[in-house]
Amino acid sequence: MQMEKVHYDTLIIGSGFTGLYMLYKVRQLGLTARVFEAGDNVGGTWYWNRYPGARCDIESMEYSYEWDRELQQAWNWPERYSTHSDIRRYLEHVAERHDLRRDIQFNTRIAGAEYSAEGNAWTVTTESGEIFSCIWLIAATGCLSAPNDPDFAGIDQFAGEIYHTGKWPHREVDFSGKRVAVIGTGSSGLQCIPEIARRAAHLTVYQRTPAYAAPAQNHDLSDEDRNRIKANYDAYRAKAKTMFAGAGAGWVESDEPMAALSPEKRREMLELGYKLGGLAFLLMFLEVLTDPEANKTMADFLREKIAERVKDPEVAAKLMPRGVLGAKRLCSETHYYETFNRDNVSLVDVRETPIVRLTPEGIETSAGEEAFDVIVFATGYDALTGALTRMDIRGRDGVSIRDKWSHGAETYLGMMVA
């Protein structure tokens, strides 16, 4: 028996930062709304990403809501860059503060949505068979919410524990005394590897492509730090909006292009960017995104820093990225490179010795097999479009978004699509 269709003005998919704000906003407009959330609580990507070391790479005082001015003044972020648990605590507080939960349906995944031009409405179906309709469908599904699951041969045969950074269990995972493998050295890999290395008997890192990374330079926020920003929060937010990345009010953008600086001044600015840390380093000289020479200068600087921080020259060379800086998002790291100075950490370059399969005991590469108790997949996400194309979304004339984007995503104002 088909379920009865329930109508709302607006349906919102996801209850992370965007979903909660959209719910708040449409209520202000006097519209009815329903939010669908796959998890059992709010938090978006931070609901799922609970792996050791997971934290944001945008500063806490900016990675927060501007529209609730009282909360902006009352909330005290403990660190410059927030951990996953602190971000969840904040979003849970926002949901309670604005009574948002009553319009959120948890433990619900959307199977598909189809637009009817005749009724100018969407019909949305959940995986459990519920049917809803709306005029406005908002996919607040985020950029990093659809995990990229690897398809190694033998993955079902491994007898030990397997985890994915994007689907971390809601409990403490004990690595003490265990032989651990981490596959992947993107952002989540760089964050979890130092934490796991401190606990594991031995950690083997399987790297395909080394990432460009700058130290996060994270630190605890003092009352003085927070109050300095809170005293001028409007100006702080306004400055962030003028920055290239739309964030980074405390970052420094060079007044002069790199080519106009003396070698000494250029070095001084690069050292300053490295000291500021994270994305601030990349965006100190904006021409790094357009000028190959400037890009090479900054990339060489980062490679030089890796050579300084990693004792074994062969390991350091393997950790050095060789592509264009900024082609992938710059990672923020904390003691990542020093981790490879530990006696209990080894690095496998899978371009030299590719992974052949997983076995019941561990991982087999072209060079042989190594036994593990735990394997962690830090293999990232089907980013940006993945959360949308995994749903059966159909627009005019039944055309699916998968087909419409089969040759690449075409959007308007970010991720908006007709």
Side-chain angles (χ1 to χ4, degrees), residues 8 163 382:
Y8 291 89
Y163 303 100
D382 185 358

Side-chain angles (χ1 to χ4, degrees), residues 63-183:
Y63 196 74
S64 51
Y65 289 125
E66 181 180 5
W67 49 268
D68 189 334
R69 304 217 166 196
E70 289 183 4
L71 180 60
Q72 187 171 246
Q73 291 293 326
W75 193 263
N76 290 321
W77 292 101
E79 296 179 79
R80 181 187 183 192
Y81 296 108
S82 294
T83 63
H84 60 91
S85 55
D86 283 329
I87 296 171
R88 282 198 309 278
R89 184 169 60 88
Y90 172 76
L91 291 176
E92 288 166 10
H93 177 78
V94 170
E96 296 297 336
R97 177 180 171 88
H98 294 282
D99 189 26
L100 300 179
R101 291 181 186 276
R102 61 182 166 89
D103 290 322
I104 303 175
Q105 182 171 321
F106 294 106
N107 300 305
T108 303
R109 290 187 178 273
I110 299 303
E114 185 164 5
Y115 175 75
S116 168
E118 182 179 349
N120 188 31
W122 289 89
T123 296
V124 177
T125 307
T126 70
E127 288 187 352
S128 64
E130 296 175 286
I131 304 171
F132 297 85
S133 65
C134 67
I135 303 300
W136 295 283
L137 176 61
I138 301 173
T141 46
C143 301
L144 303 174
S145 59
N148 181 27
D149 292 312
D151 58 354
F152 295 115
I155 196 168
D156 296 329
Q157 297 178 15
F158 179 62
E161 305 167 58
I162 290 182
Y163 303 100
H164 191 295
T165 51
K167 298 183 288 189
W168 205 258
H170 296 187
R171 58 174 173 79
E172 187 76 17
V173 176
D174 185 11
F175 295 103
S176 302
K178 294 179 180 178
R179 300 162 299 174
V180 183
V182 173
I183 300 176

Side-chain angles (χ1 to χ4, degrees), residues 331-387:
C331 295
S332 295
E333 52 83 19
T334 300
H335 306 309
Y336 174 69
Y337 295 108
E338 288 78 7
T339 297
F340 292 92
N341 296 329
R342 298 176 62 102
D343 293 336
N344 71 325
V345 176
S346 55
L347 178 66
V348 175
D349 185 341
V350 299
R351 290 188 184 274
E352 294 179 359
T353 56
I355 294 174
V356 176
R357 64 177 63 85
L358 270 60
T359 69
E361 290 76 29
I363 297 174
E364 180 185 343
T365 70
S366 60
E369 183 179 359
E370 185 172 355
F372 296 104
D373 303 301
V374 183
I375 297 176
V376 174
F377 293 128
T379 48
Y381 305 87
D382 185 358
L384 296 171
T385 57

Side-chain angles (χ1 to χ4, degrees), residues 1-55:
M1 184 177 71
Q2 186 170 351
M3 295 186 180
E4 182 179 351
K5 185 186 296 184
V6 181
H7 182 80
Y8 291 89
D9 297 323
T10 308
L11 294 177
I12 301 165
I13 308 172
S15 67
F17 270 94
T18 302
L20 294 182
Y21 176 61
M22 287 293 96
L23 175 55
Y24 172 83
K25 195 68 175 177
V26 297
R27 279 187 185 174
Q28 299 300 305
L29 296 171
L31 303 174
T32 59
R34 188 74 168 168
V35 177
F36 302 108
E37 169 56 52
D40 64 10
N41 207 340
V42 301
T45 192
W46 302 107
Y47 174 88
W48 305 102
N49 285 270
R50 300 168 182 242
Y51 58 85
R55 67 174 68 241

Side-chain angles (χ1 to χ4, degrees), residues 54-330:
R55 67 174 68 241
C56 190
D57 62 356
I58 299 296
E59 297 192 32
S60 304
M61 300 295 284
E62 289 183 58
Y63 196 74
S64 51
Y65 289 125
E66 181 180 5
W67 49 268
D68 189 334
R69 304 217 166 196
E70 289 183 4
L71 180 60
Q72 187 171 246
Q73 291 293 326
W75 193 263
N76 290 321
W77 292 101
E79 296 179 79
R80 181 187 183 192
Y81 296 108
S82 294
T83 63
H84 60 91
S85 55
D86 283 329
I87 296 171
R88 282 198 309 278
R89 184 169 60 88
Y90 172 76
L91 291 176
E92 288 166 10
H93 177 78
V94 170
E96 296 297 336
R97 177 180 171 88
H98 294 282
D99 189 26
L100 300 179
R101 291 181 186 276
R102 61 182 166 89
D103 290 322
I104 303 175
Q105 182 171 321
F106 294 106
N107 300 305
T108 303
R109 290 187 178 273
I110 299 303
E114 185 164 5
Y115 175 75
S116 168
E118 182 179 349
N120 188 31
W122 289 89
T123 296
V124 177
T125 307
T126 70
E127 288 187 352
S128 64
E130 296 175 286
I131 304 171
F132 297 85
S133 65
C134 67
I135 303 300
W136 295 283
L137 176 61
I138 301 173
T141 46
C143 301
L144 303 174
S145 59
N148 181 27
D149 292 312
D151 58 354
F152 295 115
I155 196 168
D156 296 329
Q157 297 178 15
F158 179 62
E161 305 167 58
I162 290 182
Y163 303 100
H164 191 295
T165 51
K167 298 183 288 189
W168 205 258
H170 296 187
R171 58 174 173 79
E172 187 76 17
V173 176
D174 185 11
F175 295 103
S176 302
K178 294 179 180 178
R179 300 162 299 174
V180 183
V182 173
I183 300 176
T185 54
S187 182
S188 58
L190 266 66
Q191 288 185 331
C192 74
I193 284 166
E195 298 295 325
I196 294 173
R198 281 194 278 271
R199 310 177 202 173
H202 191 273
L203 170 64
T204 302
V205 176
Y206 289 81
Q207 171 189 271
R208 181 186 63 182
T209 307
Y212 282 105
Q217 307 291 12
N218 187 43
H219 56 78
D220 291 342
L221 289 177
S222 65
D223 289 339
E224 182 181 356
D225 292 330
R226 289 186 289 260
N227 292 338
R228 183 177 63 253
I229 294 173
K230 289 180 180 182
N232 299 284
Y233 229 138
D234 286 349
Y236 186 79
R237 296 285 194 183
K239 182 183 178 184
K241 292 173 185 175
T242 69
M243 304 293 283
F244 177 84
W251 301 350
V252 176
E253 291 179 355
S254 178
D255 294 329
E256 297 182 83
M258 187 185 293
L261 301 178
S262 67
E264 295 77 18
K265 183 62 175 178
R266 184 183 308 151
R267 182 73 187 196
E268 178 186 330
M269 294 295 288
L270 290 173
E271 292 286 1
L272 173 60
Y274 202 72
K275 185 176 180 180
L276 288 172
L279 294 172
F281 173 81
L282 178 66
L283 299 178
M284 172 163 283
F285 293 101
L286 292 180
E287 67 266 31
V288 70
L289 302 176
T290 56
D291 180 356
E293 280 302 312
N295 193 284
K296 182 178 183 302
T297 297
M298 295 187 78
D300 285 344
F301 178 86
L302 289 177
R303 286 189 280 267
E304 179 186 329
K305 290 295 186 182
I306 294 171
E308 291 175 2
R309 294 170 61 183
V310 179
K311 294 177 182 177
D312 186 326
E314 290 187 11
V315 175
K318 289 180 179 180
L319 290 168
M320 291 180 187
R322 299 295 177 182
V324 176
L325 172 61
K328 294 182 179 180
R329 181 168 177 150
L330 181 73

